[in-house]
Amino acid sequence: MTQQSGPVALRRTAPPARLSLFLAALLALLPLLLVLTAAPGARAADGDPTVSLSKKEAGKGGEITVRGSGWRSDALLMLLICGQSTPERGVIGGTNSCANADGRAVTTDKKGAFSKKLPVAEPPKPCPCVVHVATVTGEQALVDAVFTVAGHPTEELPREAADGRLAVLASTRLEGDSSLLTWFGAPPARRLVFTVGNLGTGPVKDPVFEIGTAHGVYAPQWEERQWRGTVAPGGKAQIKLPVELSAGAHGDYQVSLRYGDKVLAEQPWGVGRPWGVTLFWVLLCLIVPAALFRIGMAVVDKVRPRPAGTAAARHAHRTTRSRARGGATEPKPPTSTNSTTSTNSTTSTNSTTAALPWFTPDSAPSENRPRPTTKGQA
């Protein structure tokens, strides 16, 4: 067989080269195709959260199913039936207008959806009513769905709050000092002082503010505070709201003020460490072991056995020491006429009862007394 050369050979080798180029281009475009296919899901997750109800109207004692989508994944939500509320105006009066005792909590799934059964209860305020769904932690998000509680009274919404608009006119500050109890772990407390002005055309009566306290990277925990009073259109008022932390709190905190859906002001708060608690535990770790050691030593001293005669020896030792301090000398024992009896008595007498000194000053040797002569000495 003869080998062909020229254009025919080139045509036979061209198809494999084109195939390799096609595969390389396909592999290069594969990541782009994956991104394009995942983009619609991401856009859906970034959309506004929605809420749907299984029933638009139900009476007290019934039950409805609340479904939602578009929320943040793994977010904790609060479900409440609130009165004196509309989706356009929101919940007037805060959660004081809601049936808090019959509320429910739910956590969204990985896709930001949820489904939860909610019992129907009458809110403390008259209808119009809504099912209020809001996040508990993290970034704030809320949705109100129109709902009617059958048999519950209905009234018109007040107009004053709709025309009023509050704004902070001056910088906020925290007033108050820590007491001695705070040094021992009591909850730190302050008053948030700020001045608001009504920029609207209608008066604002008994506004409800929210105070949030955040520590470190954690989201603020919001608590409602209602101020009793009315701010006239174009007027201003100084408001003082209490702020309290948990027991033993210390470190850098951030206090936020919110009215409606808008954060009006933020104020840092540095809380000192409760050193009294540390001092208490240090003293407790020192005093308790020392007390237990002393009690144990006292018990051991009471129960340990003692040898015979120890008490009599101690009593004799104390008597001797007391006499030595007083300068008194023990009397000499009486001399017996019978030498044999005296010798035996002296031998059997304890050395502790012998009279001291064994010689009198008259019988003691003296340097002035002449030395005795010996036999044979001149």
Side-chain angles (χ1 to χ4, degrees):
M1 178 181 291
T2 60
Q3 183 178 4
Q4 297 180 0
S5 61
V8 178
L10 292 175
R11 286 193 299 269
R12 291 183 178 180
T13 58
R18 293 177 182 177
L19 181 60
S20 61
L21 291 175
F22 176 76
L23 293 176
L26 183 61
L27 291 176
L29 294 176
L30 184 60
L32 181 61
L33 294 175
L34 294 177
V35 171
L36 293 176
T37 54
R43 289 193 298 267
D46 294 338
D48 295 334
T50 59
V51 171
S52 61
L53 307 178
S54 60
K55 299 178 182 179
K56 295 295 183 179
E57 181 178 354
K60 178 181 177 181
E63 191 177 61
I64 60 174
T65 302
V66 183
R67 297 181 178 87
S69 60
W71 295 83
R72 191 173 66 252
S73 61
D74 298 327
L76 180 62
L77 306 180
M78 175 181 60
L79 284 65
L80 296 172
I81 296 180
C82 304
Q84 202 175 7
S85 309
T86 59
E88 295 78 15
R89 295 273 301 274
V91 180
I92 301 175
T95 56
N96 294 331
S97 304
C98 305
N100 298 312
D102 298 295
R104 293 292 183 269
V106 63
T107 303
T108 60
D109 56 16
K110 298 297 182 181
K111 298 181 180 179
F114 71 91
S115 178
K116 185 71 174 180
K117 292 184 179 298
L118 179 66
V120 178
E122 293 184 349
K125 298 292 184 178
C127 285
C129 301
V130 297
V131 174
H132 181 72
V133 182
T135 55
V136 178
T137 59
E139 185 181 355
Q140 182 70 16
L142 58 91
V143 174
D144 295 328
V146 177
F147 181 72
T148 302
V149 180
H152 194 60
T154 302
E155 295 181 4
E156 293 184 0
L157 298 178
R159 294 182 178 180
E160 300 90 78
D163 299 331
R165 185 162 56 92
L166 297 180
V168 175
L169 302 180
S171 59
T172 61
R173 67 180 187 275
L174 292 172
E175 289 185 350
D177 297 323
S178 299
S179 62
L180 182 62
L181 296 178
T182 305
W183 199 65
F184 284 95
R190 294 289 189 275
R191 291 187 304 274
L192 183 64
V193 182
F194 57 96
T195 302
V196 297
N198 188 358
L199 306 181
T201 58
V204 178
K205 182 180 180 182
D206 299 338
V208 178
F209 298 92
E210 289 183 287
I211 300 294
T213 54
H215 180 54
V217 298
Y218 295 98
Q221 302 293 328
W222 299 96
E223 295 183 2
E224 293 183 352
R225 298 286 188 269
Q226 187 172 17
W227 181 72
R228 299 292 181 179
T230 302
V231 183
K236 62 180 182 180
Q238 187 181 56
I239 299 177
K240 298 181 179 181
L241 300 177
V243 182
E244 188 178 34
L245 302 178
S246 59
H250 62 276
D252 296 330
Y253 283 79
Q254 187 81 10
V255 180
S256 303
L257 174 67
R258 187 171 66 182
Y259 179 70
D261 299 333
K262 183 180 180 181
V263 177
L264 301 181
E266 293 181 347
Q267 178 69 28
W269 183 9
V271 184
R273 181 181 295 273
W275 291 108
V277 179
T278 305
L279 179 62
F280 169 78
W281 285 111
V282 170
L283 294 177
L284 187 65
C285 293
L286 294 177
I287 294 175
V288 171
L292 293 177
F293 176 76
R294 292 184 62 88
I295 293 173
M297 293 302 295
V299 172
V300 170
D301 186 65
K302 289 290 184 182
V303 301
R304 68 176 180 177
R306 291 180 174 81
T310 303
R314 288 183 179 178
H315 178 70
H317 181 66
R318 286 195 296 267
T319 304
T320 304
R321 291 180 60 184
S322 62
R323 289 178 178 177
R325 293 193 192 98
T329 58
E330 230 175 283
K332 297 168 60 176
T335 304
S336 175
T337 57
N338 193 347
S339 60
T340 305
T341 307
S342 176
T343 302
N344 297 335
S345 175
T346 304
T347 304
S348 61
T349 304
N350 196 321
S351 61
T352 58
T353 60
L356 293 177
W358 296 316
F359 53 86
T360 61
D362 297 337
S363 62
S366 176
E367 295 180 357
N368 299 328
R369 183 174 298 180
R371 299 176 61 183
T373 60
T374 58
K375 186 178 181 179
Q377 184 179 0

